[in-house]
Amino acid sequence: FRLSSRLGGGFSKLDQEVIRVDPPAPLGDDYKPAKIRAVMEPTSRILRINVIDGGNGYTAAPDVIIKQSGVSRKCEACAILYRNGSIAEVVVINPGFGYGGKHNNRKKFEEPILPTVEFRERKGRPEKRAKAVPELEYKVVGVEIIDGGSGYLFDEPPRVSLDLPSTDPDWFATPVI
């Protein structure tokens, strides 16, 4: 799972244009590039945790608890504090497995149910509690042709490429060669 962001995973739900098709050679007046869309589904791992409100008054980094029933492997994350006592970010150490709930089938995809994030203080009570939202990891499972385009040559098919996410998840481990 630590290499998944380079094996078709590592995407956010908001990543839309991840597959690119080269345009046809501009020969003549009747050519237009094909338009395709990536079909993605959740991997049931946590990609990242976005801090919405850093809170105030934390004297030590709180424990980060990601709650959802039916999880196979719990996500591990840690909070990073600013000097003023608010949470700057949450780093995902282990993405876990089994988040988002069950999916009935691929044709009738239901939106996954997001887990909740809680911050448990180790000592003292903050003046204002922090708020964060988890983001699930998605993987590419296929493509949908929106418009086949025109002007492509049969003996020179277009090059189709997958644009990998610009940044790796915190938990991504570079393979040792």
Side-chain angles (χ1 to χ4, degrees):
F1 71 89
R2 291 195 176 275
L3 303 176
S4 69
S5 73
R6 293 297 177 237
L7 298 173
F11 292 101
S12 164
K13 179 181 178 180
L14 303 175
D15 293 335
Q16 294 297 315
E17 297 182 19
V18 299
I19 296 182
R20 189 178 317 243
V21 179
D22 284 353
L27 303 172
D29 293 335
D30 191 26
Y31 73 92
K32 66 178 182 179
K35 294 179 184 175
I36 63 174
R37 180 182 74 80
V39 177
M40 296 195 283
E41 69 180 27
T43 63
S44 80
R45 294 182 289 243
I46 303 292
L47 179 65
R48 65 180 66 95
I49 297 174
N50 301 312
V51 176
I52 295 172
D53 181 351
N56 195 0
Y58 289 97
T59 57
D63 292 327
V64 181
I65 294 113
I66 296 93
K67 288 187 171 183
Q68 189 167 49
S69 62
V71 174
S72 303
R73 187 173 55 229
K74 291 189 179 266
C75 174
E76 297 173 34
C78 69
I80 309 292
L81 289 182
Y82 284 121
R83 288 184 184 195
N84 68 0
S86 64
I87 295 176
E89 67 178 309
V90 175
V91 176
V92 176
I93 299 167
N94 181 335
F97 192 77
Y99 290 97
K102 304 268 186 229
H103 308 292
N104 294 337
N105 61 42
R106 288 184 188 216
K107 292 180 183 173
K108 293 183 179 180
F109 178 73
E110 295 177 6
E111 284 294 315
I113 300 164
L114 290 178
T116 58
V117 177
E118 292 181 9
F119 296 101
R120 187 173 296 150
E121 305 82 28
R122 294 181 187 188
K123 58 181 179 179
R125 268 193 101 75
E127 298 167 20
K128 180 180 174 189
R129 288 189 179 273
K131 295 178 185 172
V133 176
E135 195 174 333
L136 293 178
E137 177 195 37
Y138 280 74
K139 65 181 176 180
V140 176
V141 294
V143 296
E144 178 183 346
I145 299 173
I146 298 167
D147 183 349
S150 62
Y152 291 101
L153 302 174
F154 180 73
D155 58 340
E156 289 184 38
R159 189 175 62 123
V160 179
S161 57
L162 175 70
D163 291 338
L164 296 173
S166 57
T167 58
D168 288 318
D170 299 327
W171 46 263
F172 176 73
T174 306
V176 178
I177 298 173

